[in-house]
């Protein structure tokens, strides 16, 4: 064994005493001069090392005028020494904890306990995954462009844990993005709720009302993000989310097959669910292409529904259709499966 690789200091022995002990273990007995020659030190240095071993109950002196030394059985003797060292370390760890508690009580929480700063391109998606997978009850999500591409875009591939409710609000102008569409479809497919609005103040994700993730710069999400842990700040961000959620319009992303041609007309009561979905999406400013992709219908079918609605309402333009549909209560009635505020 290479004695230089043995961390004897961890046992409380100095390196020389450890080398002498290794020599004694390998022989039946040895006197001072033999030990000194074996480890390459002076007799007086070997004597001090042997006395150190004796004090630690790791070696025993035998003989009289020319005393000889023998090693104690290593397992029980060194085991007892290590047990004492572990007990000492445990006491030191307790002292460190008490000192830390005292320091925090005097100086207050550190900045890193309140807000984490994530700057590298890999940190943000990795931390997002950790927070999302660690959520146990609720995730609140405000989404708006510009979206981060590349590695960060892959965060959309991470789903919430079963049983966790996800509520999302998307900004209308950014919802044509394929990543945002697939993320929203995945979230609502797992029991999540979706709303849309024309303007969102900031990109934001809140996890179990205990931590919040948002960009450092609202217009430059790739420049880094903050993870907020301060309970007061998190609750303020929750209040922001709820205010946006309350004024946003519910949207169902349930994918359905196109209706047969003979069933496309809108009944006079205005209760055709497909048409009402289309009108709601129009009302929040979604483009025809996006609506068609969400509902998995053709542009021709979509335009037929809009035309039928216009005929029933007596409206000629899309603006008039949306306005009159709202007045008739077709957009505000949420009994058809659209989500309600929680």
């Amino acid at each position: 064994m290479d004695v230089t690789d043995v961390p004897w200091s961890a046992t409380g022995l100095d390196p020389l005493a450890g080398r002498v002990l290794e020599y004694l273990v390998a022989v039946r007995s040895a006197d001072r001069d033999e030990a000194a020659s074996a480890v390459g030190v002076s007799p007086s240095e070997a004597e001090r090392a042997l006395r150190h071993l004796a004090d630690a109950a790791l070696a025993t002196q035998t003989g009289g005028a020319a005393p000889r030394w023998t090693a104690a059985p290593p397992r029980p003797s060194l085991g007892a020494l290590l047990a004492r060292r572990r007990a000492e370390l445990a006491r030191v760890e307790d002292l460190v904890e008490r000192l830390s508690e005292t320091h925090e009580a005097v100086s207050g929480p550190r900045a890193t306990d309140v807000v984490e700063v994530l700057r590298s391109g890999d940190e943000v998606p990795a931390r997002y995954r950790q927070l999302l997978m660690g959520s146990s009850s609720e995730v609140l999500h405000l989404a708006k462009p510009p979206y981060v591409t590349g590695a960060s875009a892959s965060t959309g591939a991470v789903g919430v844990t079963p049983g966790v409710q996800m509520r999302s609000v998307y900004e209308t102008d950014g919802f044509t993005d394929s990543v945002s569409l697939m993320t929203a479809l995945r979230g609502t497919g797992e029991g999540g709720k979706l709303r849309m609005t024309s303007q969102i103040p900031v990109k934001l994700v809140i996890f179990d009302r205990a931590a919040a993730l948002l960009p450092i710069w609202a217009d430059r999400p790739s420049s880094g993000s903050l993870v907020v842990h301060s309970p007061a700040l998190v609750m303020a961000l929750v209040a922001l989310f709820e205010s946006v959620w309350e004024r946003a319009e519910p949207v169902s992303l349930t994918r359905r097959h196109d209706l047969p041609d003979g069933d496309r007309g809108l009944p006079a009561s205005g209760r055709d669910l497909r048409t009402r979905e289309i009108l709601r999406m129009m009302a929040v400013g979604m483009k025809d292409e996006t609506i068609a992709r969400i509902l998995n219908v053709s542009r021709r079918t979509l335009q037929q529904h809009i035309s039928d609605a216009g005929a029933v309402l007596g409206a000629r333009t899309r603006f008039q259709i949306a306005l009159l549909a709202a007045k008739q209560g077709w957009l505000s009635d949420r009994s058809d499966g659209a989500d309600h505020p929680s």
Side-chain angles (χ1 to χ4, degrees), residues 35-118:
S37 176
V39 299
V41 297
S42 67
S44 60
E45 289 175 309
E47 180 74 23
R48 285 195 296 273
L50 289 166
R51 296 296 177 188
H52 189 177
L53 293 173
D55 292 340
L58 297 175
T60 304
Q61 181 181 349
T62 60
R68 299 185 68 79
W69 298 83
T70 59
R75 184 172 289 111
S77 59
L78 282 171
L81 179 62
L82 292 175
R84 291 195 296 271
R85 295 289 290 179
R86 282 193 288 267
E88 291 171 2
L89 288 173
R91 289 195 293 272
V92 173
E93 288 177 349
D94 289 341
L95 174 61
V96 170
E97 288 301 316
R98 291 197 301 273
L99 292 175
S100 297
E101 291 172 1
T102 302
H103 179 263
E104 290 177 1
V106 172
S107 61
R110 297 168 295 174
T112 53
D113 295 331
V114 177
V115 177
E116 298 175 50
V117 180
L118 310 176

Side-chain angles (χ1 to χ4, degrees), residues 138 165 167 193-195 209 241-242 244-248 250 334 338-342:
E138 181 183 51
Q165 183 188 57
R167 285 193 283 152
K193 298 177 181 179
L194 172 72
R195 293 189 176 188
R209 305 194 176 212
F241 172 87
E242 295 293 358
V244 175
W245 175 265
E246 185 62 29
R247 70 171 186 267
R334 299 177 182 178
D339 48 312
H340 296 263
S342 296

Side-chain angles (χ1 to χ4, degrees), residues 214-252:
L214 67 161
I216 296 175
W217 302 100
D219 58 343
R220 300 200 305 272
S222 60
S223 298
S225 296
L226 301 175
V227 180
V228 177
H229 298 283
S230 164
L233 293 177
V234 171
M235 292 313 297
L237 292 171
V238 169
L240 171 65
F241 172 87
E242 295 293 358
S243 69
V244 175
W245 175 265
E246 185 62 29
R247 70 171 186 267
E249 287 293 329
V251 175
S252 171

Side-chain angles (χ1 to χ4, degrees), residues 28 31 66 71-72 99 110 167 169 205 218 244 257 260 266 271 309-310:
R28 287 182 176 275
D31 61 22
L99 292 175
R110 297 168 295 174
R167 285 193 283 152
V169 182
V205 190
V244 175
H257 295 294
L266 175 67
R271 295 295 176 177

Side-chain angles (χ1 to χ4, degrees), residues 200-340:
I200 287 175
V202 65
K203 296 161 70 75
L204 174 67
V205 190
I206 302 173
F207 308 89
D208 283 346
R209 305 194 176 212
L213 177 68
L214 67 161
I216 296 175
W217 302 100
D219 58 343
R220 300 200 305 272
S222 60
S223 298
S225 296
L226 301 175
V227 180
V228 177
H229 298 283
S230 164
L233 293 177
V234 171
M235 292 313 297
L237 292 171
V238 169
L240 171 65
F241 172 87
E242 295 293 358
S243 69
V244 175
W245 175 265
E246 185 62 29
R247 70 171 186 267
E249 287 293 329
V251 175
S252 171
L253 295 187
T254 303
R255 286 180 173 258
R256 305 185 182 99
H257 295 294
D258 282 348
L259 295 173
D261 290 345
D263 295 332
R264 286 199 306 242
L266 175 67
S269 64
R271 295 295 176 177
D272 179 86
L273 301 186
R274 170 68 61 77
T275 303
R276 294 179 64 204
E277 280 186 319
I278 292 170
L279 295 179
R280 282 199 187 103
M281 294 181 186
M282 281 177 50
V284 296
M286 292 179 66
K287 297 179 174 61
D288 286 359
E289 179 183 359
T290 304
I291 298 173
R293 288 173 60 197
I294 290 172
L295 297 179
N296 197 26
V297 300
S298 67
R299 290 285 295 274
R300 179 175 174 273
T301 297
L302 175 69
Q303 290 165 1
Q304 183 65 54
H305 276 276
I306 296 172
S307 176
D308 291 346
V312 171
L313 293 166
R316 295 182 178 180
T317 67
R318 294 168 67 93
F319 176 77
Q320 289 175 338
I321 291 173
L323 183 63
L324 292 174
K327 289 183 65 176
Q328 292 292 329
W330 296 357
L331 307 184
S332 60
D333 183 357
R334 299 177 182 178
S335 62
D336 59 356
D339 48 312
H340 296 263

